[in-house]
């Protein structure tokens, strides 16, 4: 897949610069393995050169751990001389950064080989390879994310986060109060700026709701018939939220479990499939009688354990699970049931879809969706029948069966023959190497709890 014709992209740049003569700088952005946005800042006058020739960034950008350090065991660092690849703009991602004091724009990029072909280790390309299998079936994927996050104080207490003081009452929230409108009012200026900033950047964020913990919120993205674009929106939305929060003298976190005893941050994704005429092939009055819906669910069930490392990619990810926090720990499904991993909303026959409820907000959206869609395609093409749907509380009926820690999840991914048919095995090797490196560093550290328990006791 070659980049779009330069003339088409130059027209985009010309139109934007003409409409925004105040813009002084442009941030060139690319999301790494962890979904962390990296890149370069250029002056306005250099934008045309970016569209014509791209920019160079090292291939090792996709071998960085969570601290931004190259994991040499991936083979993308010194083994290849830390060589560059070329990054080209992604069409229709040039927009303003509303939080900047000096007018600045942003442009999302994707990495390519020197011959123009996509670079295999770019998570966007990992997803594109899976999506191409649906193209062969004549199906279009429709996707939408729901992103949870916490607003937190810029000052930590002994290195730990705390809720921010309300700009209105001056108090710190401590109660759960899910869906409470008054809590939205407490942070209304920040939350409204998030929605307005999303609109300015073309991100289809249509609602914010109060979630299940102090200063925790969820932004709903509208569904789009382009799964890669849906992930672009999720990546850009996280960056927007972080910067708008900071503009309001607060921080934000998408850490899967920032507070013990409180709900974690999830990243739910809604998926439906459209045929060549734009009809939802899951649409039905009775979801239990839809072969395509059942087979898609069956495939996701069968591959969920193997994709767990993409859904929950960090050590902290696994602290989020628990019945009281509505985080499923088994690949069960049900109709309009929020205690299961795969929920099928039943509000409208035309809008029947699968809501995947396992991943944390710390997941890379491209890799998350690649893992889920691999399961969907596997189920459709092999006509995998799912388990019986769960009615009522799934936690009282289904035993935990998904990996409960990162090491087990990495083993499941590394050993999965099914996932290797969808995700380039060379990329799986790179992903596993990076995460095993992080895991080794974590396991060699000594926690405060260990000192409290053992220093003067044993």
């Amino acid at each position: 897949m070659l980049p779009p014709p330069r003339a088409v992209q130059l027209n985009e740049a010309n139109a934007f610069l003409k409409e925004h003569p105040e813009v002084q700088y442009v941030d060139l952005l690319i999301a790494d393995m962890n979904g962390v946005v990296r890149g370069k800042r250029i002056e306005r006058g250099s934008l045309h050169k970016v569209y014509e020739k791209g920019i160079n960034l090292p291939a090792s950008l996709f071998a960085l751990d969570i601290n931004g350090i190259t994991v040499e065991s991936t083979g993308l660092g010194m083994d290849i001389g830390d060589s560059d690849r070329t990054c080209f703009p992604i069409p229709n991602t040039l927009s303003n950064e509303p939080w900047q004091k000096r007018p600045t724009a942003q442009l999302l990029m994707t990495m390519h080989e020197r011959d123009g072909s996509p670079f295999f280790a770019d998570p966007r390309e990992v997803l594109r390879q899976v999506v191409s299998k649906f193209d062969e079936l004549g199906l279009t994927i429709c996707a939408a994310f729901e992103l949870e996050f916490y607003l937190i104080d810029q000052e930590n207490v002994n290195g730990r986060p705390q809720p921010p003081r309300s700009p209105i009452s001056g108090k710190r929230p401590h109660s759960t109060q899910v869906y409470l409108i008054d809590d939205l009012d407490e942070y209304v200026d920040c939350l409204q700026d998030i929605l307005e900033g999303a609109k300015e950047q073309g991100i289809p964020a249509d609602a914010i709701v109060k979630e299940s913990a102090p200063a925790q919120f969820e932004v709903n993205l509208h569904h789009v018939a382009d799964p890669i674009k849906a992930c672009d929106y999720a990546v850009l939305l996280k960056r927007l939220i972080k910067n708008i929060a900071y503009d309001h003298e607060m921080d934000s976190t998408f850490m899967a479990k920032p507070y013990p005893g409180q709900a974690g941050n999830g990243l739910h994704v809604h998926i439906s499939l459209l045929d060549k005429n734009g009809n939802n092939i899951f649409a039905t009055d009775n979801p239990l009688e839809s072969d395509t819906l059942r087979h898609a669910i069956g495939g996701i069930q069968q591959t969920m354990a193997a994709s767990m490392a993409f859904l929950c990619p960090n050590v902290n990810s696994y602290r989020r699970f628990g019945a009281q926090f509505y985080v499923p720990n088994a690949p069960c499904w049900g109709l309009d049931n929020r205690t299961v991993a795969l929920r099928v909303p039943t509000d409208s026959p035309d809008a029947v879809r699968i809501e995947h409820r396992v991943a944390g907000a710390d997941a890379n959206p491209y890799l998350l969706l690649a893992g889920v869609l691999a399961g969907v395609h596997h189920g459709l093409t092999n006509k995998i029948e799912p388990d019986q749907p769960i009615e009522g509380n799934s936690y009282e009926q289904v035993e935990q069966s998904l990996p409960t820690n990162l090491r087990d999840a990495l083993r499941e991914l590394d050993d999965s023959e099914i996932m290797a048919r969808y995700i380039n095995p060379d990329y799986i090797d790179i992903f596993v190497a990076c995460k095993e490196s992080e895991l080794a560093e974590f396991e060699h550290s000594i926690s405060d709890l260990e000192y409290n328990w053992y220093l003067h006791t044993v």
Side-chain angles (χ1 to χ4, degrees):
M1 180 181 178
L2 297 176
R6 297 287 171 264
V8 174
Q9 295 212 40
L10 282 172
N11 289 339
E12 178 181 302
N14 289 333
F16 182 86
L17 293 176
K18 183 178 180 180
E19 185 179 353
H20 299 283
E22 76 283 359
V23 166
Q24 301 177 28
Y25 304 99
V26 182
D27 289 340
L28 308 177
L29 313 174
I30 193 164
D32 71 6
M33 175 183 291
N34 289 294
V36 176
V37 175
R38 305 184 186 276
K40 295 181 178 181
R41 176 169 291 175
I42 61 170
E43 292 185 338
R44 170 195 181 92
S46 299
L47 184 61
H48 287 96
K49 183 179 178 181
V50 172
Y51 275 91
E52 290 173 346
K53 298 182 179 180
I55 61 165
N56 289 335
L57 287 172
S60 59
L61 185 146
F62 296 115
L64 300 178
D65 66 12
I66 195 66
N67 295 309
I69 299 170
T70 301
V71 177
E72 292 295 340
S73 58
T74 61
L76 292 183
M78 289 187 289
D79 284 355
I80 59 172
D82 202 21
S83 60
D84 283 342
R85 298 296 186 274
T86 307
C87 300
F88 290 107
I90 296 170
N92 303 314
T93 63
L94 182 58
S95 65
N96 280 324
E97 295 178 346
W99 60 86
Q100 296 284 8
K101 291 180 174 59
R102 293 185 177 181
T104 304
Q106 66 180 29
L107 179 61
L108 205 57
M109 313 288 286
T110 187
M111 186 173 285
H112 294 257
E113 296 284 7
R114 292 299 186 183
D115 63 2
S117 61
F119 184 56
F120 82 101
D122 186 334
R124 207 172 185 271
E125 171 61 12
V126 173
L127 174 57
R128 192 189 70 81
Q129 290 290 339
V130 179
V131 171
S132 68
K133 296 183 181 297
F134 289 84
D135 296 338
E136 296 168 2
L137 299 178
L139 296 175
T140 298
I141 300 153
C142 198
F145 285 97
E146 297 173 349
L147 178 64
E148 294 175 344
F149 67 97
Y150 277 91
L151 292 175
I152 58 175
D153 202 292
Q154 290 185 349
E155 293 187 6
N156 294 332
V157 178
N158 298 321
R160 297 176 182 270
Q162 61 178 337
R165 294 189 183 278
S166 162
I168 294 177
S169 68
K171 299 177 181 178
R172 299 189 195 278
H174 294 288
S175 59
T176 299
Q177 304 295 356
V178 65
Y179 297 123
L180 186 67
I181 291 294
D182 288 350
D183 276 15
L184 294 176
D185 291 339
E186 293 284 349
Y187 302 97
V188 63
D189 289 341
C190 177
L191 299 177
Q192 196 63 39
D193 281 353
I194 289 172
L195 288 179
E196 290 177 1
K199 183 178 181 180
E200 183 175 350
Q201 293 192 322
I203 301 171
D206 57 10
I208 294 182
V209 298
K210 173 66 178 66
E211 270 298 332
S212 303
Q216 186 190 31
F217 302 93
E218 176 185 275
V219 180
N220 298 328
L221 287 165
H222 198 265
H223 64 273
V224 290
D226 182 339
I228 301 176
K229 181 64 69 175
C231 293
D232 292 343
Y233 289 144
V235 166
L236 294 176
L237 178 62
K238 288 179 73 171
R239 183 169 187 262
L240 174 73
I241 291 171
K242 289 178 180 180
N243 283 285
I244 293 294
Y246 199 75
D247 208 31
H248 285 266
E249 299 183 343
M250 292 181 282
D251 272 342
S252 61
T253 183
F254 301 87
M255 185 178 179
K257 188 75 168 182
Y259 296 115
Q262 296 286 359
N265 287 319
L267 182 58
H268 299 170
V269 60
H270 293 248
I271 297 171
S272 56
L273 299 176
L274 309 180
D275 63 19
K276 293 179 180 179
N277 297 318
N279 299 312
N280 178 9
I281 68 170
F282 292 159
T284 177
D285 290 321
N286 186 352
L288 299 178
E289 295 180 356
S290 170
D291 289 344
T292 54
L293 179 65
R294 291 200 322 275
H295 294 158
I297 291 171
I300 300 174
Q301 284 187 314
Q302 196 171 100
T303 57
M304 191 177 293
S307 65
M308 198 69 174
F310 291 150
L311 308 176
C312 300
N314 301 304
V315 174
N316 177 261
S317 304
Y318 297 85
R319 303 191 190 282
R320 180 173 144 264
F321 288 79
Q324 71 272 36
F325 301 121
Y326 287 87
V327 184
N329 53 15
C332 52
W333 75 288
L335 305 181
D336 200 23
N337 187 339
R338 286 186 170 84
T339 72
V340 297
L342 304 171
R343 171 179 172 257
V344 178
T346 57
D347 51 333
S348 169
D350 292 335
V352 172
R353 60 197 182 275
I354 299 171
E355 180 189 6
H356 194 291
R357 298 173 54 81
V358 178
D362 57 337
N364 180 315
Y366 303 106
L367 300 180
L368 182 171
L369 197 52
V372 174
L373 292 176
V376 172
H377 189 275
H378 171 68
L380 292 177
T381 54
N382 292 279
K383 295 181 169 49
I384 307 295
E385 285 292 338
D387 299 336
Q388 289 298 310
I390 300 295
E391 296 182 9
N393 188 350
S394 70
Y395 300 100
E396 296 178 350
Q397 304 176 53
V398 183
E399 292 186 5
Q400 177 273 324
S401 60
L402 294 172
T404 59
N405 60 80
L406 181 57
R407 187 171 296 283
D408 286 347
L410 292 172
R411 287 184 183 131
E412 291 272 6
L413 174 61
D414 209 19
D415 292 343
S416 174
E417 295 181 1
I418 296 175
M419 293 304 292
R421 294 200 290 269
Y422 291 92
I423 311 294
N424 187 332
D426 291 339
Y427 184 76
I428 292 177
D429 289 344
I430 289 171
F431 182 87
V432 171
C434 281
K435 290 301 168 181
E436 284 184 340
S437 175
E438 292 178 13
L439 191 56
E441 184 174 349
F442 177 84
E443 291 177 341
H444 284 113
S445 66
I446 302 174
S447 68
D448 290 342
L449 189 60
E450 289 174 89
Y451 285 119
N452 291 338
W453 281 7
Y454 306 126
L455 187 63
H456 299 293
T457 306
V458 296

